[in-house]
Amino acid sequence: GMSGKQLITLFFYEALFIATAGAFLGVAVGTGITALLGTVGIDFSSAMQGVDFEISKMLYPQVTFKSTVVVFFYAVIVAGLASFIPSIRAARVNAVEALRAV
Protein backbone atom coordinates (compact mmCIF):
# COMPACT_ATOMS: atom_id res chain seq x y z
CA GLY A 1 0.00 0.00 0.00
CA MET A 2 3.00 2.35 0.00
CA SER A 3 3.88 4.58 -2.92
CA GLY A 4 7.21 4.34 -4.71
CA LYS A 5 8.49 7.49 -3.05
CA GLN A 6 7.57 6.16 0.39
CA LEU A 7 9.37 2.87 -0.34
CA ILE A 8 12.49 4.70 -1.51
CA THR A 9 12.42 6.77 1.67
CA LEU A 10 11.92 3.68 3.82
CA PHE A 11 14.79 1.74 2.21
CA PHE A 12 17.05 4.79 2.24
CA TYR A 13 16.42 5.52 5.93
CA GLU A 14 17.06 1.89 6.80
CA ALA A 15 20.35 1.94 4.90
CA LEU A 16 21.26 5.27 6.49
CA PHE A 17 20.55 3.88 9.96
CA ILE A 18 22.77 0.84 9.28
CA ALA A 19 25.47 3.14 7.86
CA THR A 20 25.34 5.35 10.95
CA ALA A 21 25.63 2.34 13.27
CA GLY A 22 28.52 0.96 11.20
CA ALA A 23 30.30 4.32 11.11
CA PHE A 24 29.90 4.72 14.86
CA LEU A 25 31.27 1.23 15.50
CA GLY A 26 34.11 1.78 13.02
CA VAL A 27 35.09 5.10 14.57
CA ALA A 28 34.95 3.61 18.07
CA VAL A 29 37.15 0.63 17.14
CA GLY A 30 39.51 2.83 15.10
CA THR A 31 39.84 5.33 17.93
CA GLY A 32 40.61 2.53 20.38
CA ILE A 33 43.24 0.97 18.13
CA THR A 34 44.81 4.37 17.40
CA ALA A 35 44.89 5.25 21.10
CA LEU A 36 46.61 1.94 21.84
CA LEU A 37 49.13 2.39 19.03
CA GLY A 38 49.71 5.99 20.14
CA THR A 39 50.98 4.66 23.45
CA VAL A 40 52.85 1.60 22.23
CA GLY A 41 53.96 2.97 18.85
CA ILE A 42 54.47 1.30 15.49
CA ASP A 43 58.01 0.08 14.85
CA PHE A 44 59.25 0.73 11.30
CA SER A 45 62.90 -0.16 11.97
CA SER A 46 62.91 -3.20 9.66
CA ALA A 47 61.20 -1.23 6.88
CA MET A 48 63.66 1.66 7.27
CA GLN A 49 66.79 -0.42 6.67
CA GLY A 50 68.90 1.17 3.96
CA VAL A 51 67.36 4.63 4.35
CA ASP A 52 70.20 7.13 4.61
CA PHE A 53 68.42 10.20 5.99
CA GLU A 54 67.45 10.65 9.61
CA ILE A 55 63.85 9.63 10.26
CA SER A 56 62.24 8.26 13.39
CA LYS A 57 61.77 4.51 13.28
CA MET A 58 58.81 4.67 15.67
CA LEU A 59 55.45 6.15 14.71
CA TYR A 60 53.00 7.31 17.38
CA PRO A 61 49.58 8.05 15.83
CA GLN A 62 47.28 10.57 17.50
CA VAL A 63 43.51 10.85 17.66
CA THR A 64 41.94 14.29 17.28
CA PHE A 65 38.30 15.14 17.82
CA LYS A 66 38.07 16.97 14.48
CA SER A 67 39.42 14.06 12.42
CA THR A 68 37.16 11.62 14.26
CA VAL A 69 34.04 13.69 13.52
CA VAL A 70 35.06 14.22 9.89
CA VAL A 71 35.65 10.49 9.38
CA PHE A 72 32.30 9.63 10.98
CA PHE A 73 30.29 11.99 8.78
CA TYR A 74 32.29 11.05 5.68
CA ALA A 75 31.48 7.38 6.25
CA VAL A 76 27.78 8.10 6.76
CA ILE A 77 27.58 10.29 3.65
CA VAL A 78 29.40 7.80 1.42
CA ALA A 79 27.28 4.90 2.65
CA GLY A 80 24.11 6.96 2.24
CA LEU A 81 25.00 7.88 -1.33
CA ALA A 82 25.95 4.28 -2.11
CA SER A 83 22.57 3.05 -0.85
CA PHE A 84 20.43 5.55 -2.76
CA ILE A 85 20.45 3.77 -6.16
CA PRO A 86 19.74 0.32 -4.66
CA SER A 87 16.87 1.91 -2.71
CA ILE A 88 15.35 3.16 -5.96
CA ARG A 89 15.76 -0.28 -7.58
CA ALA A 90 14.26 -2.07 -4.59
CA ALA A 91 11.23 0.22 -4.63
CA ARG A 92 10.53 -0.68 -8.27
CA VAL A 93 10.35 -4.44 -7.61
CA ASN A 94 6.84 -5.83 -7.46
CA ALA A 95 6.22 -7.44 -4.03
CA VAL A 96 4.59 -10.56 -5.52
CA GLU A 97 7.54 -11.13 -7.87
CA ALA A 98 10.01 -10.62 -5.02
CA LEU A 99 8.23 -13.24 -2.89
CA ARG A 100 8.10 -15.66 -5.83
CA ALA A 101 11.89 -15.50 -6.19
CA VAL A 102 12.35 -16.69 -2.62
mmCIF file of all heavy atoms in Angstrom, residues 11-48:
data_model
loop_
_atom_site.group_PDB
_atom_site.id
_atom_site.type_symbol
_atom_site.label_atom_id
_atom_site.label_comp_id
_atom_site.label_asym_id
_atom_site.label_seq_id
_atom_site.Cartn_x
_atom_site.Cartn_y
_atom_site.Cartn_z
ATOM 1 N N PHE A 11 13.541 2.475 2.444
ATOM 2 C CA PHE A 11 14.786 1.739 2.213
ATOM 3 C C PHE A 11 16.006 2.621 2.466
ATOM 4 O O PHE A 11 17.002 2.171 3.026
ATOM 5 C CB PHE A 11 14.835 1.183 0.785
ATOM 6 C CG PHE A 11 13.884 0.057 0.543
ATOM 7 C CD1 PHE A 11 13.117 0.018 -0.606
ATOM 8 C CD2 PHE A 11 13.750 -0.979 1.447
ATOM 9 C CE1 PHE A 11 12.235 -1.019 -0.850
ATOM 10 C CE2 PHE A 11 12.873 -2.028 1.222
ATOM 11 C CZ PHE A 11 12.114 -2.044 0.071
ATOM 12 N N PHE A 12 15.924 3.880 2.052
ATOM 13 C CA PHE A 12 17.049 4.790 2.240
ATOM 14 C C PHE A 12 17.306 5.057 3.719
ATOM 15 O O PHE A 12 18.448 5.045 4.165
ATOM 16 C CB PHE A 12 16.798 6.101 1.492
ATOM 17 C CG PHE A 12 17.913 7.080 1.629
ATOM 18 C CD1 PHE A 12 19.137 6.854 1.010
ATOM 19 C CD2 PHE A 12 17.770 8.231 2.386
ATOM 20 C CE1 PHE A 12 20.186 7.748 1.133
ATOM 21 C CE2 PHE A 12 18.799 9.128 2.514
ATOM 22 C CZ PHE A 12 20.007 8.893 1.886
ATOM 23 N N TYR A 13 16.242 5.289 4.490
ATOM 24 C CA TYR A 13 16.419 5.521 5.926
ATOM 25 C C TYR A 13 16.963 4.286 6.632
ATOM 26 O O TYR A 13 17.762 4.389 7.558
ATOM 27 C CB TYR A 13 15.118 5.973 6.582
ATOM 28 C CG TYR A 13 14.804 7.432 6.367
ATOM 29 C CD1 TYR A 13 13.502 7.886 6.393
ATOM 30 C CD2 TYR A 13 15.803 8.366 6.134
ATOM 31 C CE1 TYR A 13 13.201 9.228 6.202
ATOM 32 C CE2 TYR A 13 15.518 9.697 5.936
ATOM 33 C CZ TYR A 13 14.221 10.124 5.978
ATOM 34 O OH TYR A 13 13.942 11.444 5.793
ATOM 35 N N GLU A 14 16.526 3.123 6.204
ATOM 36 C CA GLU A 14 17.061 1.895 6.800
ATOM 37 C C GLU A 14 18.556 1.767 6.510
ATOM 38 O O GLU A 14 19.350 1.467 7.405
ATOM 39 C CB GLU A 14 16.315 0.680 6.252
ATOM 40 C CG GLU A 14 16.809 -0.630 6.834
ATOM 41 C CD GLU A 14 16.099 -1.839 6.266
ATOM 42 O OE1 GLU A 14 15.195 -1.679 5.439
ATOM 43 O OE2 GLU A 14 16.469 -2.956 6.661
ATOM 44 N N ALA A 15 18.934 2.015 5.258
ATOM 45 C CA ALA A 15 20.352 1.943 4.898
ATOM 46 C C ALA A 15 21.153 3.021 5.630
ATOM 47 O O ALA A 15 22.286 2.774 6.067
ATOM 48 C CB ALA A 15 20.513 2.096 3.390
ATOM 49 N N LEU A 16 20.575 4.193 5.788
ATOM 50 C CA LEU A 16 21.263 5.272 6.494
ATOM 51 C C LEU A 16 21.440 4.937 7.976
ATOM 52 O O LEU A 16 22.479 5.247 8.566
ATOM 53 C CB LEU A 16 20.489 6.575 6.324
ATOM 54 C CG LEU A 16 21.245 7.862 6.556
ATOM 55 C CD1 LEU A 16 22.421 7.979 5.607
ATOM 56 C CD2 LEU A 16 20.315 9.047 6.368
ATOM 57 N N PHE A 17 20.442 4.299 8.560
ATOM 58 C CA PHE A 17 20.554 3.876 9.956
ATOM 59 C C PHE A 17 21.663 2.835 10.123
ATOM 60 O O PHE A 17 22.484 2.929 11.043
ATOM 61 C CB PHE A 17 19.219 3.302 10.444
ATOM 62 C CG PHE A 17 19.282 2.755 11.839
ATOM 63 C CD1 PHE A 17 19.340 3.611 12.927
ATOM 64 C CD2 PHE A 17 19.314 1.391 12.067
ATOM 65 C CE1 PHE A 17 19.416 3.112 14.215
ATOM 66 C CE2 PHE A 17 19.385 0.877 13.346
ATOM 67 C CZ PHE A 17 19.436 1.739 14.424
ATOM 68 N N ILE A 18 21.709 1.861 9.226
ATOM 69 C CA ILE A 18 22.766 0.840 9.282
ATOM 70 C C ILE A 18 24.137 1.484 9.049
ATOM 71 O O ILE A 18 25.125 1.133 9.708
ATOM 72 C CB ILE A 18 22.484 -0.275 8.268
ATOM 73 C CG1 ILE A 18 21.234 -1.057 8.688
ATOM 74 C CG2 ILE A 18 23.674 -1.221 8.126
ATOM 75 C CD1 ILE A 18 20.719 -2.019 7.647
ATOM 76 N N ALA A 19 24.210 2.444 8.121
ATOM 77 C CA ALA A 19 25.474 3.141 7.858
ATOM 78 C C ALA A 19 25.926 3.934 9.069
ATOM 79 O O ALA A 19 27.123 3.951 9.402
ATOM 80 C CB ALA A 19 25.307 4.066 6.658
ATOM 81 N N THR A 20 24.989 4.580 9.761
ATOM 82 C CA THR A 20 25.340 5.349 10.954
ATOM 83 C C THR A 20 25.849 4.432 12.057
ATOM 84 O O THR A 20 26.847 4.743 12.717
ATOM 85 C CB THR A 20 24.123 6.155 11.445
ATOM 86 O OG1 THR A 20 23.675 6.997 10.377
ATOM 87 C CG2 THR A 20 24.465 7.004 12.642
ATOM 88 N N ALA A 21 25.175 3.298 12.253
ATOM 89 C CA ALA A 21 25.629 2.344 13.267
ATOM 90 C C ALA A 21 27.005 1.794 12.910
ATOM 91 O O ALA A 21 27.888 1.674 13.774
ATOM 92 C CB ALA A 21 24.621 1.208 13.411
ATOM 93 N N GLY A 22 27.217 1.471 11.637
ATOM 94 C CA GLY A 22 28.518 0.965 11.201
ATOM 95 C C GLY A 22 29.618 2.001 11.333
ATOM 96 O O GLY A 22 30.741 1.687 11.733
ATOM 97 N N ALA A 23 29.309 3.246 10.979
ATOM 98 C CA ALA A 23 30.298 4.321 11.105
ATOM 99 C C ALA A 23 30.649 4.559 12.567
ATOM 100 O O ALA A 23 31.818 4.760 12.910
ATOM 101 C CB ALA A 23 29.775 5.599 10.468
ATOM 102 N N PHE A 24 29.644 4.527 13.432
ATOM 103 C CA PHE A 24 29.900 4.719 14.861
ATOM 104 C C PHE A 24 30.785 3.598 15.399
ATOM 105 O O PHE A 24 31.759 3.852 16.117
ATOM 106 C CB PHE A 24 28.581 4.782 15.635
ATOM 107 C CG PHE A 24 28.771 4.997 17.107
ATOM 108 C CD1 PHE A 24 29.095 6.249 17.596
ATOM 109 C CD2 PHE A 24 28.644 3.948 18.004
ATOM 110 C CE1 PHE A 24 29.292 6.458 18.955
ATOM 111 C CE2 PHE A 24 28.832 4.146 19.353
ATOM 112 C CZ PHE A 24 29.154 5.399 19.831
ATOM 113 N N LEU A 25 30.466 2.367 15.042
ATOM 114 C CA LEU A 25 31.273 1.231 15.497
ATOM 115 C C LEU A 25 32.688 1.304 14.922
ATOM 116 O O LEU A 25 33.672 1.069 15.640
ATOM 117 C CB LEU A 25 30.600 -0.083 15.100
ATOM 118 C CG LEU A 25 31.274 -1.356 15.571
ATOM 119 C CD1 LEU A 25 31.257 -1.443 17.093
ATOM 120 C CD2 LEU A 25 30.570 -2.567 14.973
ATOM 121 N N GLY A 26 32.793 1.660 13.646
ATOM 122 C CA GLY A 26 34.113 1.778 13.023
ATOM 123 C C GLY A 26 34.969 2.861 13.646
ATOM 124 O O GLY A 26 36.169 2.673 13.879
ATOM 125 N N VAL A 27 34.356 4.001 13.933
ATOM 126 C CA VAL A 27 35.094 5.099 14.568
ATOM 127 C C VAL A 27 35.501 4.716 15.985
ATOM 128 O O VAL A 27 36.621 5.011 16.422
ATOM 129 C CB VAL A 27 34.259 6.402 14.548
ATOM 130 C CG1 VAL A 27 34.813 7.431 15.497
ATOM 131 C CG2 VAL A 27 34.208 6.960 13.144
ATOM 132 N N ALA A 28 34.624 4.024 16.699
ATOM 133 C CA ALA A 28 34.953 3.605 18.070
ATOM 134 C C ALA A 28 36.116 2.616 18.075
ATOM 135 O O ALA A 28 37.068 2.773 18.855
ATOM 136 C CB ALA A 28 33.729 2.991 18.740
ATOM 137 N N VAL A 29 36.064 1.624 17.200
ATOM 138 C CA VAL A 29 37.152 0.635 17.136
ATOM 139 C C VAL A 29 38.439 1.296 16.649
ATOM 140 O O VAL A 29 39.521 1.063 17.207
ATOM 141 C CB VAL A 29 36.755 -0.556 16.229
ATOM 142 C CG1 VAL A 29 37.931 -1.464 15.947
ATOM 143 C CG2 VAL A 29 35.619 -1.348 16.865
ATOM 144 N N GLY A 30 38.328 2.133 15.624
ATOM 145 C CA GLY A 30 39.508 2.825 15.102
ATOM 146 C C GLY A 30 40.149 3.747 16.117
ATOM 147 O O GLY A 30 41.373 3.827 16.225
ATOM 148 N N THR A 31 39.321 4.449 16.888
ATOM 149 C CA THR A 31 39.844 5.326 17.932
ATOM 150 C C THR A 31 40.548 4.522 19.015
ATOM 151 O O THR A 31 41.617 4.917 19.490
ATOM 152 C CB THR A 31 38.705 6.163 18.546
ATOM 153 O OG1 THR A 31 38.095 6.929 17.509
ATOM 154 C CG2 THR A 31 39.211 7.090 19.631
ATOM 155 N N GLY A 32 39.972 3.393 19.375
ATOM 156 C CA GLY A 32 40.607 2.527 20.377
ATOM 157 C C GLY A 32 41.946 1.989 19.910
ATOM 158 O O GLY A 32 42.936 2.011 20.657
ATOM 159 N N ILE A 33 41.986 1.511 18.679
ATOM 160 C CA ILE A 33 43.242 0.975 18.134
ATOM 161 C C ILE A 33 44.289 2.082 18.012
ATOM 162 O O ILE A 33 45.464 1.891 18.352
ATOM 163 C CB ILE A 33 42.998 0.288 16.780
ATOM 164 C CG1 ILE A 33 42.193 -1.001 16.986
ATOM 165 C CG2 ILE A 33 44.303 -0.011 16.061
ATOM 166 C CD1 ILE A 33 41.734 -1.657 15.714
ATOM 167 N N THR A 34 43.869 3.256 17.540
ATOM 168 C CA THR A 34 44.808 4.370 17.402
ATOM 169 C C THR A 34 45.318 4.847 18.751
ATOM 170 O O THR A 34 46.499 5.180 18.896
ATOM 171 C CB THR A 34 44.146 5.532 16.642
ATOM 172 O OG1 THR A 34 43.666 5.048 15.388
ATOM 173 C CG2 THR A 34 45.123 6.653 16.393
ATOM 174 N N ALA A 35 44.447 4.864 19.752
ATOM 175 C CA ALA A 35 44.886 5.255 21.096
ATOM 176 C C ALA A 35 45.902 4.250 21.638
ATOM 177 O O ALA A 35 46.903 4.641 22.254
ATOM 178 C CB ALA A 35 43.692 5.355 22.032
ATOM 179 N N LEU A 36 45.663 2.972 21.403
ATOM 180 C CA LEU A 36 46.613 1.942 21.842
ATOM 181 C C LEU A 36 47.945 2.090 21.117
ATOM 182 O O LEU A 36 49.008 2.066 21.748
ATOM 183 C CB LEU A 36 46.028 0.546 21.612
ATOM 184 C CG LEU A 36 46.954 -0.621 21.898
ATOM 185 C CD1 LEU A 36 47.178 -0.745 23.400
ATOM 186 C CD2 LEU A 36 46.398 -1.901 21.332
ATOM 187 N N LEU A 37 47.891 2.247 19.801
ATOM 188 C CA LEU A 37 49.130 2.391 19.035
ATOM 189 C C LEU A 37 49.829 3.712 19.322
ATOM 190 O O LEU A 37 51.050 3.819 19.165
ATOM 191 C CB LEU A 37 48.844 2.266 17.536
ATOM 192 C CG LEU A 37 48.459 0.869 17.065
ATOM 193 C CD1 LEU A 37 48.096 0.889 15.584
ATOM 194 C CD2 LEU A 37 49.572 -0.124 17.324
ATOM 195 N N GLY A 38 49.096 4.720 19.755
ATOM 196 C CA GLY A 38 49.709 5.992 20.136
ATOM 197 C C GLY A 38 50.549 5.858 21.386
ATOM 198 O O GLY A 38 51.501 6.607 21.596
ATOM 199 N N THR A 39 50.197 4.897 22.238
ATOM 200 C CA THR A 39 50.979 4.663 23.454
ATOM 201 C C THR A 39 52.133 3.711 23.185
ATOM 202 O O THR A 39 53.253 3.966 23.596
ATOM 203 C CB THR A 39 50.091 4.029 24.542
ATOM 204 O OG1 THR A 39 48.761 4.443 24.392
ATOM 205 C CG2 THR A 39 50.556 4.422 25.907
ATOM 206 N N VAL A 40 51.846 2.636 22.491
ATOM 207 C CA VAL A 40 52.855 1.603 22.225
ATOM 208 C C VAL A 40 53.774 2.018 21.083
ATOM 209 O O VAL A 40 54.982 1.829 21.140
ATOM 210 C CB VAL A 40 52.159 0.258 21.887
ATOM 211 C CG1 VAL A 40 53.156 -0.808 21.507
ATOM 212 C CG2 VAL A 40 51.283 -0.188 23.027
ATOM 213 N N GLY A 41 53.195 2.575 20.026
ATOM 214 C CA GLY A 41 53.958 2.975 18.852
ATOM 215 C C GLY A 41 54.008 1.862 17.819
ATOM 216 O O GLY A 41 53.736 0.698 18.109
ATOM 217 N N ILE A 42 54.314 2.250 16.593
ATOM 218 C CA ILE A 42 54.472 1.301 15.491
ATOM 219 C C ILE A 42 55.944 1.335 15.095
ATOM 220 O O ILE A 42 56.485 2.386 14.752
ATOM 221 C CB ILE A 42 53.588 1.686 14.293
ATOM 222 C CG1 ILE A 42 52.122 1.802 14.719
ATOM 223 C CG2 ILE A 42 53.728 0.670 13.173
ATOM 224 C CD1 ILE A 42 51.225 2.418 13.674
ATOM 225 N N ASP A 43 56.577 0.185 15.121
ATOM 226 C CA ASP A 43 58.010 0.081 14.845
ATOM 227 C C ASP A 43 58.243 -0.133 13.352
ATOM 228 O O ASP A 43 57.824 -1.136 12.789
ATOM 229 C CB ASP A 43 58.608 -1.070 15.647
ATOM 230 C CG ASP A 43 60.117 -1.139 15.536
ATOM 231 O OD1 ASP A 43 60.722 -0.165 15.054
ATOM 232 O OD2 ASP A 43 60.682 -2.175 15.940
ATOM 233 N N PHE A 44 58.915 0.826 12.712
ATOM 234 C CA PHE A 44 59.250 0.732 11.297
ATOM 235 C C PHE A 44 60.740 0.479 11.079
ATOM 236 O O PHE A 44 61.245 0.702 9.980
ATOM 237 C CB PHE A 44 58.868 2.029 10.572
ATOM 238 C CG PHE A 44 57.410 2.164 10.321
ATOM 239 C CD1 PHE A 44 56.651 3.061 11.053
ATOM 240 C CD2 PHE A 44 56.779 1.410 9.353
ATOM 241 C CE1 PHE A 44 55.306 3.208 10.829
ATOM 242 C CE2 PHE A 44 55.428 1.537 9.119
ATOM 243 C CZ PHE A 44 54.686 2.438 9.857
ATOM 244 N N SER A 45 61.440 -0.024 12.090
ATOM 245 C CA SER A 45 62.895 -0.161 11.972
ATOM 246 C C SER A 45 63.283 -1.149 10.877
ATOM 247 O O SER A 45 64.236 -0.916 10.145
ATOM 248 C CB SER A 45 63.498 -0.573 13.307
ATOM 249 O OG SER A 45 62.929 -1.783 13.761
ATOM 250 N N SER A 46 62.550 -2.243 10.718
ATOM 251 C CA SER A 46 62.907 -3.205 9.661
ATOM 252 C C SER A 46 62.586 -2.638 8.280
ATOM 253 O O SER A 46 63.286 -2.922 7.308
ATOM 254 C CB SER A 46 62.182 -4.530 9.870
ATOM 255 O OG SER A 46 60.790 -4.352 9.805
ATOM 256 N N ALA A 47 61.553 -1.819 8.169
ATOM 257 C CA ALA A 47 61.196 -1.229 6.885
ATOM 258 C C ALA A 47 62.127 -0.077 6.519
ATOM 259 O O ALA A 47 62.237 0.281 5.347
ATOM 260 C CB ALA A 47 59.756 -0.724 6.911
ATOM 261 N N MET A 48 62.809 0.506 7.510
ATOM 262 C CA MET A 48 63.661 1.664 7.271
ATOM 263 C C MET A 48 65.122 1.277 7.027
ATOM 264 O O MET A 48 65.973 2.164 6.923
ATOM 265 C CB MET A 48 63.577 2.630 8.452
ATOM 266 C CG MET A 48 62.196 3.204 8.700
ATOM 267 S SD MET A 48 61.578 4.143 7.315
ATOM 268 C CE MET A 48 62.586 5.576 7.436
#
